[in-house]
Amino acid sequence: MVSSISKCLSFNHHLHPHPLSPSTTTKNSRPFSPPLYTTHHYKSVNLPKLSFKRCSLSTPMASSSNQPAPTISSQSDGSDFEPDPTLTSDDLKPTTSSQRSFSGWEMASLWVGLVVGVPAYYLAGSLVDLGMAWWQGIATVVIANIILLVPLILTGHPGTRYGISFPVLARSAFGIRGAHIPTLLRALVGCGWYGIETWIGGEAIFLLLPKVVKTTSFAESIPWLGTSPLEFACFVVFWIAQLGIVWKGMEGIRALEKYSAPILIGLTSCLLIWAYVKAGGFGHMLSLSSKLSLSEFLALFFPSLTANISFWAPLALNIPDFTKYAKTQKDQIVGQAGLPIFMGLFTFVGLAVTSSTKVIFGKVVSNPIQLLGQIGGLTTMVLAILGISLATITTNIAANVVAPANALVNLSPSKFTFRRGALLTALLGIAFQPWRLLGSSESFVYTWLVGYSALLGPIGGIVLADYYLVKGTDLAIKDLYSLSPNGVYYYSGGYNLVALTALVVGILPVIPGFLQKVGIVTSVSDVFVVIYNNAWFFSFFMAGYLYWILSSLTRYNNNNISDRAQQPLLSNEN
């Protein structure tokens, strides 16, 4: 595994074309496998539709760290290998070289847009509210994001190398049909997050409305709805506003993240400067000490670490949806390396501004929307609406639309496009009733965040164990789009029972702790409490290790894919 990972993270491999002749491979010998980043040159042709040709030559698996995505090979033995239409669409095909438009800066801009948002601000303040010192809160956030950076980069590698999205990558581990299970679980979490983020954006509109409007009967809560018609109307307005950007697809998202990043950095800096000047420095924040004993701190630290990892765990799964647009491996790695830095800086801003409100207003104002409303002034209100809306949209669209939309496309390419999938995601976000999910900060952090990590942790562990330990980073791209029983990833009727077993085993031990957390059961063993507080870690390593062991025991032979691995998907570059 160390060897595979070291190769995957290398930036400066030299590329040497090694054109092979058909005689290189025989029926009784394993075909010559070129170096990891070896690239072969083939003639490109345009086809009227996506199709496969059986190739007797070893061809590139995908884009290397400095090489564009593979194109259509014109060399063939004459037998067509058609992709199954239920597995293929324009949104699921590997990206072509012309579609690789994400540079390192644009990948970093993506993370700036994701980090700067109300939920991240809430998450930082909650740690201090629970008794941590300011530096302990920042350290917890940074450590969590450094840990998460490892699976982020490792999962992002096949996206850039093969140009494939997460639903296609999941087919390797879970099977052609079994991949629907992890992608739909990820999509479900994304829909819930989409509703939460959209509600926050709508709340910003509501809180910044004139008092005259907020004192009408429309601002009164309706019991069956759980909120007021006016608040719900603001939620719908923000919901509609986001669809305009989503409708432009990935290119619109890329442009939004790229140009929003400097604006968000500027607005965040302005808020920090305002707090510094008004509070006469950050002395109050720096004087805040921990209210916890060592044992109390440790009891809080581990579930808080899990919650912070869970915060980005959904995106750590479907990061190939973005890295498949990266120009090189170096771009995706350098761009993602900024996550711990951005989260650390924004956590500092959140804690500094929140602590300053104690001096400025005589009370702690942890909600940034309420804070901006109290500052007052027309200019401030306009900047507040712009900043919160931009921060929410950049986070929501990138983190919570792309994965569910791609999962739905993967479920039925003939019925769903990216746009249709995004629209259904938005509708399901309403069905989640996010105003109820945000009932309390404790339920948000320790029930919602930690709870869903038990679903996503084992999926991440299985996918990485499959790609690096079982498959050795070799994927038979054409078989990822085939329902043929002879396909490498068909397994048992399209399902890999080993992966599904590992998934269930990874989730089950976390359930007792979750049931206690939501109040369904009164008490459980301390062992299950510890497991739940470390849900992501436990399920990730448990499922990944079990998958590796079971795959070894079932004697999965990586040579099975040697005839197909490194053959590019034949795509149409128009």
Side-chain angles (χ1 to χ4, degrees):
M1 178 178 182
V2 174
S3 176
S4 297
I5 294 176
S6 65
K7 288 182 181 180
C8 295
L9 300 186
S10 178
F11 294 160
N12 299 310
H13 284 283
H14 295 286
L15 306 178
H16 302 286
H18 295 278
L20 304 176
S21 63
S23 61
T24 306
T25 305
T26 65
K27 290 183 179 180
N28 298 319
S29 66
R30 185 176 179 176
F32 174 83
S33 295
L36 187 62
Y37 289 104
T38 296
T39 302
H40 312 282
H41 299 285
Y42 294 104
K43 186 185 299 181
S44 294
V45 297
N46 289 324
L47 302 179
K49 64 177 182 178
L50 180 68
S51 63
F52 294 100
K53 301 285 184 182
R54 284 201 184 276
C55 249
S56 58
L57 304 182
S58 282
T59 58
M61 287 181 286
S63 169
S64 71
S65 61
N66 296 297
Q67 191 73 10
T71 56
I72 305 169
S73 170
S74 62
Q75 303 192 34
S76 166
D77 62 7
S79 60
D80 289 342
F81 186 81
E82 292 292 335
D84 192 283
T86 64
L87 301 175
T88 310
S89 74
D90 290 338
D91 297 306
L92 294 177
K93 288 189 298 184
T95 50
T96 61
S97 57
S98 63
Q99 294 173 314
R100 301 294 185 98
S101 57
F102 276 35
S103 64
W105 161 244
E106 286 169 327
M107 287 296 299
S109 298
L110 171 70
W111 280 112
V112 172
L114 289 169
V115 166
V116 179
V118 176
Y121 191 105
Y122 278 147
L123 193 59
S126 68
L127 300 180
V128 175
D129 289 340
L130 291 169
M132 285 189 182
W134 67 272
W135 63 269
Q136 291 174 329
I138 293 176
T140 301
V141 171
V142 172
I143 291 172
N145 284 276
I146 289 176
I147 293 173
L148 187 65
L149 187 61
V150 176
L152 263 171
I153 292 177
L154 293 180
T155 310
H157 180 272
T160 301
R161 187 178 185 192
Y162 293 97
I164 55 177
S165 58
F166 170 65
V168 178
L169 175 62
R171 295 172 185 173
S172 172
F174 288 87
I176 295 298
R177 293 192 176 102
H180 294 315
I181 296 173
T183 55
L184 289 177
L185 286 175
R186 167 62 183 95
L188 192 65
V189 173
C191 290
W193 263 117
Y194 185 89
I196 289 173
E197 291 276 8
T198 304
W199 176 256
I200 290 172
E203 186 182 33
I205 297 175
F206 174 80
L207 290 176
L208 297 174
L209 287 176
K211 291 184 178 179
V212 177
V213 178
K214 292 189 287 186
T215 55
T216 62
S217 59
F218 289 104
E220 297 178 4
S221 180
I222 299 176
W224 65 266
L225 183 61
T227 186
S228 69
L230 184 58
E231 287 176 297
F232 186 76
C234 293
F235 168 69
V236 172
V237 168
F238 198 83
W239 184 89
I240 295 173
Q242 292 179 105
L243 289 181
I245 298 172
V246 173
W247 217 245
K248 295 182 179 180
M250 283 300 301
E251 188 59 30
I253 294 173
R254 183 186 73 86
L256 173 71
E257 301 292 346
K258 179 180 179 179
Y259 297 111
S260 296
I263 297 175
L264 291 174
I265 292 173
L267 292 175
T268 302
S269 300
C270 288
L271 181 62
L272 184 64
I273 293 171
W274 171 86
Y276 182 86
V277 172
K278 285 289 185 179
F282 296 134
H284 180 70
M285 182 195 78
L286 298 178
S287 65
L288 291 176
S289 59
S290 176
K291 303 175 185 177
L292 308 170
S293 65
L294 178 60
S295 60
E296 290 173 333
F297 171 76
L298 292 176
L300 178 63
F301 173 75
F302 288 105
S304 298
L305 189 70
T306 301
N308 276 273
I309 290 176
S310 302
F311 193 73
W312 295 121
L315 199 61
L317 267 188
N318 73 287
I319 195 65
D321 294 347
F322 299 95
T323 60
K324 74 177 198 173
Y325 294 99
K327 295 179 179 178
T328 66
Q329 289 291 354
K330 182 177 180 180
D331 286 317
Q332 76 98 354
I333 294 172
V334 171
Q336 296 202 81
L339 173 61
I341 300 172
F342 300 146
M343 278 297 292
L345 291 174
F346 191 65
T347 298
F348 175 81
V349 171
L351 294 178
V353 174
T354 298
S355 63
S356 299
T357 59
K358 178 66 175 177
V359 178
I360 299 170
F361 300 108
K363 61 179 181 179
V364 174
V365 182
S366 58
N367 187 325
I369 299 174
Q370 293 178 349
L371 171 61
L372 292 170
Q374 288 195 27
I375 293 175
L378 179 61
T379 303
T380 302
M381 290 181 67
V382 171
L383 289 176
I385 293 174
L386 172 64
I388 292 175
S389 299
L390 197 59
T392 303
I393 290 175
T394 52
T395 301
N396 207 17
I397 292 177
N400 307 316
V401 172
V402 176
N406 283 339
L408 291 169
V409 172
N410 182 56
L411 183 64
S412 180
S414 61
K415 295 180 180 178
F416 285 104
T417 61
F418 181 87
R419 289 180 176 179
R420 291 178 182 176
L423 179 59
L424 182 56
T425 299
L427 291 171
L428 290 175
I430 299 176
F432 265 83
Q433 301 185 65
W435 49 92
R436 300 186 191 275
L437 288 177
L438 291 173
S440 69
S441 59
E442 184 176 355
S443 63
F444 169 68
V445 175
Y446 297 117
T447 302
W448 169 246
L449 290 179
V450 177
Y452 74 63
S453 71
L455 297 176
L456 304 187
I459 296 173
I462 291 168
V463 168
L464 289 180
D466 176 77
Y467 182 67
Y468 289 99
L469 300 179
V470 178
K471 304 298 176 20
T473 73
D474 288 343
L475 296 179
I477 297 299
K478 295 199 294 187
D479 282 21
L480 289 172
Y481 295 84
S482 171
L483 273 176
S484 169
N486 296 323
V488 176
Y489 311 112
Y490 191 75
Y491 297 107
S492 300
Y495 297 88
N496 185 358
L497 300 182
V498 168
L500 296 179
T501 299
L503 177 63
V504 172
V505 172
I507 294 174
L508 282 179
V510 185
I511 293 178
F514 176 77
L515 294 178
Q516 183 197 40
K517 197 68 181 177
V518 298
I520 295 178
V521 297
T522 55
S523 64
V524 296
S525 170
D526 290 342
V527 174
F528 291 117
V529 174
V530 173
I531 290 175
Y532 180 76
N533 288 340
N534 299 274
W536 185 87
F537 291 97
F538 180 86
S539 60
F540 179 91
F541 288 105
M542 167 68 80
Y545 183 73
L546 181 61
Y547 177 81
W548 181 34
I549 295 298
L550 292 179
S551 295
S552 300
L553 292 176
T554 54
R555 296 185 178 182
Y556 176 88
N557 188 356
N558 196 46
N559 291 343
N560 290 339
I561 70 169
S562 61
D563 290 330
R564 302 181 183 91
Q566 306 186 34
Q567 292 183 9
L569 176 69
L570 305 186
S571 57
N572 185 17
E573 292 185 286
N574 291 324

